[in-house]
Amino acid sequence: MGKIAWKGHWTRRSIQIIFFFFVFFIVLTHFLERRGSHFPWPVGGNFHGICPFGAVETVGTLIMNGNLVPKIYQSNFWVLSGVMLVTILLGSVFCGYLCPLGSIQEWIGSLGRRMFRRFNHSINQRLDRALGFLRYGVLALILIKTTLAFSLVFQRIDPYYALFHFWMGDVFPSALIVLGSVVLLSLFFERPWCRWLCPFGALLGLVQIVAFWKIRRTTSTCTGCGRCSRACPMKISLHKKNSIFDTRCNRCGSCIEACRHSKAISFSGPGGAFFALRSRLAIGVLALALFFSPILYAQSGGFFKFQKGFHSLRGRREALTIQDIKGTMTLADVAEGLCLQTVTLAGILGIPSETPVSTKMYDLEEIDERLTIKYVKDLLADADYLKNDDI
Amino acid sequence: MRKIAIVIFFLFSSGVGLYACEMHFSLLHPDGSEQVIFPGKSTVLKEGKEYLLRVQFVEDHRRCLTPPEETVYLLNDEKWKSAKEHLPLILLSQSQWEEVYVHTWEQEIRFKAQESGEWELQIVRDCPKGGYEEQLTILVR
């Protein structure tokens, strides 16, 4: 095992490709559903609803007035929990193995490496490190602006959103320019967005300082040759440190692969070799398991919701009471919530039975001007169908 | 040549035209002062006074499927219309939506705070691309 398990990036690349297409599959099914396609599995929500950074963006509004920014749902917090679990235990493995934007930069970087001899070398280490601090500025700016504007301001420049939506005609030109610049810079530098601008990477970089598993150097076997540092795509001087606390390390494993001395560098816990993860496959499988565990838990318990209301925050479906009926609900929502057939509901309200079930309750006024929400509630409260149960 | 072709391809693909809703609200008080208001936060108004609500809508998608005219205002879950004098906030007049900047639309709504109490003004844009649904809490004293 040993070094052979670290040779080549195929395991990591495979996980990156699978995850990239998994995210693309979610975006595509949502897009097709919008156009009238139906799928046997739940599609619901939107791309923002599965973005872990969305939960971070709304922290300010959540603290200030207890509200989530529009387009952000309970689901974002479950995805963020998965990322945090991975990061607290394994460090920024999310960045190195799962993040689709990181993956695409890496793939383009592979192309750049073949095209340009001086790939990733035309920037000195001090400038590179200084540029890395820009990430914290971007993070602070996004948090402040999102809280003040009560909207997803980052969407306007978000290359991750642009990457998966540019073909839909839904992306701001500013975000496209950022994406285009990232793609172009990736031809010359390793992961430019991740290293210098990514706000989520900045946050995960801070969290990973406490990670259980880290890249660690065993001083008794290390000769200080510097091969690990030269191999590091993030230009971290590993051979001068005992363990990596650098916020830019994404656990790609290039340093371990480059090291010629057995066990001089390992991906291990504080206990040394006993907790060492000895291959990229082990890291990837553990990361996927950790990432999906909170999401699967929430899915199985019915907590994974792309909604802010109607379902309680605990997520369990609650019986709808007449008092809970909102103007923004559809006839179908109300019928389902009150356990009625839509035809029965139409009969109670005195509207044609062929009225589309997607009709919003507030639009009933257009059918019959008396049908305000208050009047609808009165009609339902008086209906014999509903009088005898707890509704 | 191959390198130049690849660089041109990336530059071209980054320029493929693209844009997605976002809303901002401000309230002009009778004394002339303007207050920016946010969904989820209460705004205090004086009973019997007239106010001007300025609503700005920014298209989040380049191809917006729901025109600004389809923005719906719900007061206590009922459509907010000028003829409805039984509502606690009486809508006096409503301007046409006007495109003030590229992809940015504005509308002014003049209303009277008729009845004291806490009222919810919901703003809804029903759209398959996500739309918008938030509410302003109005406290009339």
Side-chain angles (χ1 to χ4, degrees):
Chain A
M1 197 79 170
K3 291 284 150 194
I4 295 165
W6 291 97
K7 282 285 175 212
H9 286 261
W10 66 269
T11 317
R12 203 164 62 86
R13 284 278 156 85
S14 305
I15 295 170
Q16 285 178 325
I17 291 168
I18 291 168
F19 203 79
F20 185 93
F21 284 100
F22 173 67
V23 175
F24 180 70
F25 173 77
I26 294 172
V27 173
L28 186 66
T29 49
H30 187 253
F31 173 74
L32 293 174
E33 194 195 40
R34 252 168 35 185
R35 300 196 156 209
S37 300
H38 296 284
F39 299 93
W41 58 86
V43 174
N46 56 27
F47 179 77
H48 297 292
I50 58 159
C51 175
F53 189 57
V56 178
E57 287 175 273
T58 199
V59 157
T61 60
L62 199 59
I63 294 169
M64 301 284 279
N65 53 29
N67 274 355
L68 302 182
V69 165
K71 300 174 191 171
I72 298 301
Y73 309 102
Q74 300 163 34
S75 54
N76 295 79
F77 291 89
W78 289 108
V79 181
L80 180 65
S81 308
V83 176
M84 285 301 171
L85 200 57
V86 172
T87 312
I88 288 168
L89 288 173
L90 296 168
S92 296
V93 170
F94 175 80
C95 305
Y97 284 68
L98 305 178
C99 176
L101 186 61
S103 303
I104 199 111
Q105 289 174 82
E106 232 180 80
W107 301 337
I108 294 166
S110 303
L111 191 65
R113 202 172 273 117
R114 286 180 196 171
M115 287 167 62
F116 309 107
R117 202 173 287 176
R118 278 188 59 77
F119 177 83
N120 209 28
H121 287 291
S122 48
I123 190 161
N124 73 50
Q125 229 166 337
R126 283 179 67 181
L127 178 62
D128 185 36
R129 204 169 167 74
L131 286 172
F133 287 105
L134 278 176
R135 297 179 302 161
Y136 301 103
V138 174
L139 176 64
L141 202 63
I142 289 169
L143 291 179
I144 294 167
K145 290 283 282 179
T146 305
T147 308
L148 293 176
F150 197 67
S151 67
L152 288 177
V153 290
F154 183 48
Q155 188 186 332
R156 289 163 182 269
I157 57 159
D158 186 358
Y160 181 52
Y161 180 78
L163 176 66
F164 284 103
H165 293 79
F166 70 89
W167 50 281
M168 287 187 198
D170 281 0
V171 183
F172 281 95
S174 47
L176 280 172
I177 290 167
V178 174
L179 177 65
S181 307
V182 168
V183 164
L184 196 60
L185 282 172
S186 299
L187 282 170
F188 305 98
F189 304 102
E190 184 76 29
R191 289 178 172 245
W193 175 263
C194 308
R195 276 159 79 178
W196 303 323
L197 292 165
C198 182
F200 194 42
L203 180 69
L204 297 185
L206 293 175
V207 175
Q208 76 153 350
I209 291 172
V210 300
F212 181 81
W213 276 281
K214 285 188 172 72
I215 303 281
R216 295 177 201 274
R217 186 174 69 102
T218 308
T219 47
S220 58
T221 47
C222 176
T223 59
C225 67
R227 284 179 65 92
C228 51
S229 303
R230 288 195 294 278
C232 178
M234 297 292 169
K235 294 179 171 282
I236 300 167
S237 298
L238 177 62
H239 71 288
K240 294 175 186 165
K241 296 167 182 169
N242 290 339
S243 53
I244 291 298
F245 286 89
D246 196 299
T247 57
R248 294 168 300 170
C249 175
N250 63 26
R251 313 304 203 245
C252 71
S254 297
C255 50
I256 306 175
E257 187 182 343
C259 181
R260 286 182 172 173
H261 306 283
S262 178
K263 294 178 183 169
I265 300 177
S266 61
F267 188 56
S268 55
F274 183 76
F275 289 112
L277 292 172
R278 297 176 202 283
S279 69
R280 288 191 174 102
L281 184 63
I283 297 171
V285 169
L286 187 56
L288 284 171
L290 289 169
F291 176 75
F292 281 108
S293 55
I295 298 166
L296 292 174
Y297 166 74
Q299 277 280 13
S300 62
F303 315 138
F304 196 79
K305 297 292 180 194
F306 293 105
Q307 292 184 2
K308 295 175 186 177
F310 192 36
H311 299 270
S312 73
L313 264 175
R314 292 205 327 265
R316 296 198 188 283
R317 182 106 200 184
E318 292 178 334
L320 182 71
T321 65
I322 292 171
Q323 287 69 33
D324 291 334
I325 295 173
K326 302 284 179 203
T328 50
M329 290 177 180
T330 62
L331 281 175
D333 290 336
V334 174
E336 190 189 345
L338 296 179
C339 304
L340 291 171
Q341 289 194 330
T342 46
V343 178
T344 311
L345 179 63
I348 295 171
L349 301 178
I351 57 174
S353 57
E354 62 271 19
T355 306
V357 293
S358 59
T359 303
K360 296 278 187 183
M361 298 305 285
Y362 60 69
D363 271 335
L364 293 178
E365 282 183 58
E366 309 301 330
I367 300 170
D368 179 343
E369 63 179 21
R370 293 173 305 164
L371 287 174
T372 60
I373 292 295
K374 186 177 179 303
Y375 187 62
V376 165
K377 287 180 182 176
D378 290 346
L379 282 175
L380 288 166
D382 289 340
D384 291 336
Y385 292 96
L386 304 170
K387 273 185 176 167
N388 296 329
D389 52 33
D390 296 334
I391 293 167
Chain B
M1 189 62 199
R2 195 183 63 167
K3 290 177 188 175
I4 293 168
I6 291 174
V7 169
I8 289 172
F9 168 77
F10 281 120
L11 275 173
F12 177 77
S13 50
S14 72
V16 176
L18 299 183
Y19 271 149
C21 36
E22 183 177 320
M23 301 197 87
H24 304 281
F25 310 92
S26 62
L27 192 73
L28 203 67
H29 289 261
D31 62 2
S33 62
E34 193 168 354
Q35 178 191 4
V36 176
I37 53 180
F38 296 102
K41 276 190 172 175
S42 302
T43 305
V44 182
L45 307 185
K46 286 183 183 157
E47 189 180 346
K49 299 282 182 190
E50 287 184 16
Y51 294 86
L52 185 82
L53 178 66
R54 192 170 284 140
V55 182
Q56 203 175 65
F57 153 57
V58 184
E59 291 174 6
D60 267 3
H61 295 101
R62 190 188 58 162
R63 283 197 290 270
C64 183
L65 302 176
T66 312
E69 292 75 21
E70 288 185 22
T71 304
V72 176
Y73 300 96
L74 301 176
L75 185 61
N76 295 348
D77 265 328
E78 198 173 315
K79 273 193 176 175
W80 200 29
K81 290 179 179 175
S82 53
K84 292 185 172 179
E85 299 219 339
H86 65 278
L87 289 175
L89 305 176
I90 301 177
L91 198 152
L92 302 171
S93 64
Q94 198 170 6
S95 71
Q96 295 291 317
W97 284 98
E98 188 189 343
E99 191 167 16
V100 287
Y101 312 108
V102 179
H103 296 286
T104 305
W105 299 78
E106 204 171 271
Q107 182 181 47
E108 290 183 341
I109 299 172
R110 189 168 290 283
F111 68 95
K112 185 178 178 185
Q114 178 73 5
E115 196 181 323
S116 63
E118 186 177 318
W119 316 112
E120 301 289 355
L121 178 64
Q122 244 177 310
I123 297 93
V124 181
R125 288 182 48 76
D126 191 19
C127 172
K129 289 189 175 182
Y132 184 89
E133 189 184 322
E134 289 299 333
Q135 60 186 34
L136 305 176
T137 305
I138 313 279
L139 278 171
V140 181
R141 287 176 181 159

